[in-house]
Amino acid sequence: MSAPSLLDCPEAQFAIAAVREAAQLTRRVQQEMCTEALTKGDKSPVTVADFSAQAIVAKRMAEALPDARLVGEEDAADLNATDEGRATLAQIQHFLEANIPGVSADEVCQLIDHGNAKPEGKFWTLDPVDGTKGFLRGDQYAVALALIEDGQVSLGVLGCPELNDQLSPELGGSGALLIAKRGEGAFVASVTGDAEWKPLKVSPCEEVKDTRIFRSVETAHTNTGQLGQLAGAMGVEAQPIPMDSQAKYAVLAAGGGEMLVRLLSANRPDYREKIWDQAAGSIVVEEAGGRVTDLDGKPLDFSHGTSLLENRGVLATNGQVHQAALEALRAIGA
Ligand code: AMP
Ligand code: MG
């Protein structure tokens, strides 16, 4: 199809270009740094990718939307504090050189700290590498950027470099780029820009027992025991599908499953979701026709700083199975 009209505004154009560039950058870091020579537990590639992606989004934002404010997950404080930090900074500078010729270490830090705005009124929120464990394993991860206006997400872009055939065979091996704008739908193209935009639509499945459920790979980010109870209460026999990052939202929006649930882990029952972990993904699912609430059925409220303080966990579905899932959550006391 021809480009959807929601792409016409400067904010959408900035977000697409910035996420695309950041996603390519994370791929480059992964190719060069995630070698077999790396010791297990070495987190340096993800640190370098995280900071580099935040810096490039900040740079493009300052150019395209000079008055915009950014709330990013990372801050540069540690990069100048220790020898290890300074070595990381040098690597970030090296990777950014290809995107910002001649960039200095000071400018890198300033760009990263451009993402320290207050989460109030109208602002952007960024998770430069969501699903860091997936990134290190070579599994799913996402660059997630969203615009929040007065507590509600109004625009979201997800770059999922490892998501291909799960969303659309036409993407080939290019990775997926998704955009959603409130009231104007959700669309997918390739991260590299060589596939046409296609509208996203959630699965029409109404049969609760057939619900395909997505969960985090990391058991510390959910409650696997309770998840088994929840599936049982819904009559679902199939095992939940583990997947890292907001790529789960992307697959849900494309109809590749019916439900995503973030249960509170037993050791962090008071955990509150971070805004950058849910903003872009939730609007993509909503605009593809799905529904997103917390575990109590309340809408996600992005007006309480960097965490969803007034929400417990997340339930995102194709809409059809939402009520049944909420009832099952209540029945198991989750
Ligand atoms: P996932 O890829 O689904 O495992 O989600 C990754 C996100 O989970 C990370 O970006 C973290 O911010 C977030 N996270 C960290 N600790 C927790 C926790 N205890 N419960 C839920 N999410 C968490
Ligand atoms: Mg994250």
Side-chain angles (χ1 to χ4, degrees):
M1 70 179 282
S2 57
S5 59
L6 68 82
L7 304 185
D8 290 344
C9 73
E11 285 167 336
Q13 283 176 7
F14 146 72
I16 288 170
V19 168
R20 207 163 242 162
E21 190 174 357
Q24 309 281 28
L25 188 51
T26 60
R27 261 187 170 165
R28 206 150 45 80
V29 174
Q30 196 178 44
Q31 279 157 6
E32 288 187 34
M33 290 186 75
C34 287
T35 63
E36 284 178 23
L38 270 181
T39 53
K40 279 230 164 72
D42 184 349
K43 299 222 164 49
S44 55
V46 77
T47 311
V48 172
D50 253 328
F51 282 115
S52 305
Q54 180 157 323
I56 201 65
V57 171
K59 173 79 178 171
R60 300 310 177 213
M61 181 177 285
E63 289 166 353
L65 307 168
D67 297 330
R69 292 182 299 121
L70 179 64
V71 178
E73 186 175 10
E74 307 302 335
D75 86 73
D78 293 343
L79 292 178
N80 268 320
T82 62
D83 285 347
E84 199 189 338
R86 281 183 285 274
T88 305
L89 179 55
Q91 282 174 305
I92 298 165
Q93 194 184 350
H94 155 75
F95 280 104
L96 282 171
E97 171 67 33
N99 303 64
I100 314 170
V103 68
S104 68
D106 279 350
E107 194 189 351
V108 172
C109 291
Q110 279 163 19
L111 286 172
I112 294 164
D113 283 341
H114 191 69
N116 282 345
K118 277 215 172 86
E120 289 168 1
K122 179 173 177 175
F123 63 95
W124 293 83
T125 188
L126 171 73
D127 193 339
V129 178
D130 179 38
T132 53
K133 304 262 175 68
F135 177 83
L136 286 168
R137 280 191 249 101
D139 291 336
Q140 295 302 331
Y141 70 97
V143 178
L145 179 64
L147 180 61
I148 294 177
E149 296 183 68
D150 299 324
Q152 211 196 20
V153 187
S154 55
L155 182 96
V157 173
L158 280 181
C160 303
E162 300 294 328
L163 212 49
N164 302 304
D165 295 347
Q166 300 95 324
L167 287 198
S168 160
E170 285 111 81
L171 294 176
S174 313
L177 184 87
L178 297 88
I179 182 164
K181 194 172 175 190
R182 184 74 58 201
E184 298 189 34
F187 297 84
V188 62
S190 66
V191 159
T192 50
D194 56 11
E196 297 259 296
W197 289 100
K198 279 180 34 175
L200 287 162
K201 189 90 200 73
V202 292
S203 156
C205 173
E206 300 178 345
E207 197 61 67
V208 175
K209 69 173 175 32
D210 294 336
T211 304
R212 290 166 291 176
I213 304 175
F214 289 104
R215 53 158 274 212
S216 299
V217 176
E218 298 302 319
T219 49
H221 294 174
T222 190
N223 184 324
T224 47
Q226 231 175 25
L227 189 58
Q229 291 176 5
L230 176 64
M234 293 172 70
V236 174
E237 283 178 14
Q239 287 298 315
I241 306 156
M243 189 179 285
D244 294 290
S245 83
Q246 289 170 71
K248 291 187 278 294
Y249 279 113
V251 181
L252 188 59
E258 287 72 35
M259 170 171 152
L260 167 175
V261 64
R262 299 185 74 82
L263 295 164
L264 298 166
S265 71
N267 48 356
R268 292 289 306 277
D270 56 346
Y271 183 79
R272 292 296 175 264
E273 303 290 344
K274 294 293 185 189
I275 54 173
W276 48 76
D277 282 333
Q278 314 303 330
S282 59
I283 189 171
V284 165
V285 165
E286 288 175 336
E287 286 299 321
R291 190 171 163 205
V292 184
T293 66
D294 69 3
L295 300 174
D296 299 310
K298 282 164 51 179
L300 301 187
D301 178 354
F302 291 87
S303 64
H304 299 278
T306 55
S307 298
L308 299 176
L309 288 182
E310 298 297 322
N311 295 111
R312 286 187 328 118
V314 178
L315 174 70
T317 70
N318 66 342
Q320 309 288 347
V321 303
H322 208 90
Q323 199 51 40
L326 286 175
E327 281 163 23
L329 283 165
R330 216 168 299 132
I332 66 165

